[in-house]
Every structure is written in structure tokens, then in C-alpha cells.
Amino acid sequence: MGSFSITHWLVVLAVIVLLFGAKKIPELAKGVGKGIKSFKKEMSDDEQNEQITKTENTAQTNTQANINSEQKA
């Protein structure tokens, strides 16, 4: 009951073929692959932007701290 057997997967595959047709399945798979690739790329870009923002915030904090210490001296 916990996992699908080969019969379940064959039924699912048959339903997909009936719904979309054999010619459309490669196009659908290609679209899904492009979507996953695009998602991974955007996640990577987001992480890079986040790191840049953290670096900029740290630099600004250090600059403000230096200015404050110079004004006190």
C-alpha cells in the first residue's frame, strides 16, 4: 500500500499517452526540463544576489563604524 507497483506505473503511463498522445510526450518532457533548468538558474542567481547584498551591508556597517570612531577621536 505504501509504494506503487509496476502495474500502477503502467496505468499512469497509459493514461498520459491517452490524454496527450505519443507525439506530445517528448514536447512535454522538454518543457518540464526547461522549466526545471530555469528554476535552478534563478535560485542560483538569487543566492548570488543575497551574498552580494550581505557583503554590501557589511561594508556599509564597517564604513559607518569607522566614521563614528573618527568623529569621537
Side-chain angles (χ1 to χ4, degrees):
M1 181 77 187
S3 63
F4 292 107
S5 68
I6 190 71
T7 308
H8 290 109
W9 288 114
L10 290 174
V11 170
V12 169
L13 182 61
V15 169
I16 290 172
V17 170
L18 287 173
L19 288 175
F20 298 108
K23 293 182 182 180
K24 287 283 186 180
I25 292 175
E27 293 174 20
L28 291 171
K30 185 178 179 181
V32 169
K34 283 184 180 181
I36 291 171
K37 185 177 180 180
S38 173
F39 179 76
K40 287 182 180 180
K41 182 179 181 288
E42 292 299 322
M43 290 298 292
S44 174
D45 290 347
D46 188 44
E47 288 176 2
Q48 290 174 352
N49 289 339
E50 192 173 297
Q51 289 175 352
I52 290 170
T53 303
K54 285 181 183 178
T55 303
E56 289 174 352
N57 289 341
T58 303
Q60 288 176 352
T61 303
N62 290 341
T63 303
Q64 289 174 350
N66 289 339
I67 291 171
N68 290 340
S69 65
E70 288 176 2
Q71 288 176 350
K72 290 180 182 179

